[in-house]
Amino acid sequence: NAGVTQTPKFQVLKTGQSMTLQCAQDMNHNSMYWYRQDPGMGLRLIYYSASEGTTDKGEVPNGYNVSRLNKREFSLRLESAAPSQTSVYFCASSETGEKLFFGSGTQLSVL
Amino acid sequence: LAKTTQPISMDSYEGQEVNITCSHNNIATNDYITWYQQFPSQGPRFIIQGYKTKVTNEVASLFIPADRKSSTLSLPRVSLSDTAVYYCLVGEAAGNKLTFGGGTRVLVKP
């Protein structure tokens, strides 16, 4: 079982560049989430999707867009990257009872 | 959503029991209490979940008093590999705005 797969694992961008972080889960979960974690800090929710076709803002949505492409995939897009978006990004999925399954993360550096 | 408060850090020694308490004064009726463990450079990993009283699995125990305004994660006989950050998460089921608190950094010393 792959669980939650994130690509890429590492990425370096220049300020102003755009990119999309990909996330896919094979557990048939309805809900998916994007979090960011800055060095030495806790996780902050960027966006989440309760089910296919719906997305909602989390705590820190500015500068990001998301797409719930289908039940398996939930992508996060940075339209114009800024140094403040340097962070580790985690995707997670869940079915019931608040048990989240996390991917291994994408380490993003914006220069 | 219920806000959680945990100690920032705790130190312990191998073989000891570690107890981490999380406060969640405004927990809602339908909220579960879930604990996660995170190692450096990894995503958080589910440890244990409960609604009330006591829950035990092969890794930890979770104690929840009757008023549910707090919970305590108990790690028996910790080892060096239990050094990690532990997060308490309170909320209702999937599909909701699940936000993490700051977590508790546990350092296990030899």
Side-chain angles (χ1 to χ4, degrees):
Chain A
N1 269 346
V4 179
T5 302
Q6 293 184 234
T7 55
K9 292 190 183 302
F10 302 94
Q11 183 71 49
V12 178
L13 293 177
K14 294 180 180 179
T15 297
Q17 287 186 319
S18 62
M19 80 159 294
T20 300
L21 280 64
Q22 306 287 352
C23 175
Q25 53 93 6
D26 62 3
M27 296 170 283
N28 202 37
H29 288 167
N30 280 315
S31 302
M32 297 185 73
Y33 307 80
W34 276 106
Y35 291 88
R36 62 175 287 177
Q37 186 172 37
D38 298 336
M41 305 294 287
L43 294 99
R44 291 186 291 171
L45 181 64
I46 305 171
Y47 271 93
Y48 66 105
S49 170
S51 61
E52 185 179 354
T54 68
T55 61
D56 286 286
K57 295 179 179 180
E59 303 169 274
V60 288
N62 292 344
Y64 305 94
N65 285 303
V66 290
S67 295
R68 185 71 184 270
L69 304 170
N70 47 56
K71 192 171 185 179
R72 289 187 65 248
E73 298 172 289
F74 189 36
S75 63
L76 178 71
R77 182 162 178 84
L78 287 72
E79 291 291 351
S80 179
S84 61
Q85 293 178 305
T86 293
S87 191
V88 179
Y89 292 83
F90 289 103
C91 177
S93 70
S94 177
E95 184 56 34
T96 61
E98 205 195 288
K99 183 175 180 178
L100 293 164
F101 292 83
F102 283 83
S104 57
T106 294
Q107 191 168 318
L108 176 66
S109 294
V110 182
L111 306 177
Chain B
L1 288 169
K3 181 181 177 182
T4 60
T5 304
Q6 304 174 231
I8 293 174
S9 64
M10 300 178 70
D11 288 358
S12 184
Y13 291 91
E14 282 190 292
Q16 289 189 336
E17 179 181 78
V18 171
N19 295 307
I20 309 171
T21 297
C22 179
S23 298
H24 28 80
N25 290 320
N26 58 338
I27 187 169
T29 302
N30 294 331
D31 285 348
Y32 284 84
I33 300 159
T34 313
W35 285 82
Y36 292 85
Q37 175 190 56
Q38 186 181 29
F39 297 114
S41 303
Q42 296 185 24
R45 182 175 70 106
F46 171 88
I47 300 177
I48 196 166
Q49 183 181 78
Y51 184 79
K52 61 181 179 180
T53 64
K54 177 184 175 181
V55 180
T56 298
N57 62 22
E58 65 278 5
V59 177
S61 294
L62 178 59
F63 299 92
I64 306 169
D67 65 6
R68 302 200 329 122
K69 294 185 182 300
S70 67
S71 59
T72 299
L73 175 72
S74 180
L75 305 172
R77 297 181 298 281
V78 293
S79 63
L80 296 178
S81 62
D82 292 316
T83 292
V85 179
Y86 293 83
Y87 294 96
C88 164
L89 186 62
V90 174
E92 178 188 356
N96 286 288
K97 192 173 179 179
L98 301 177
T99 57
F100 284 77
T104 298
R105 192 173 300 273
V106 172
L107 173 62
V108 180
K109 302 175 182 178

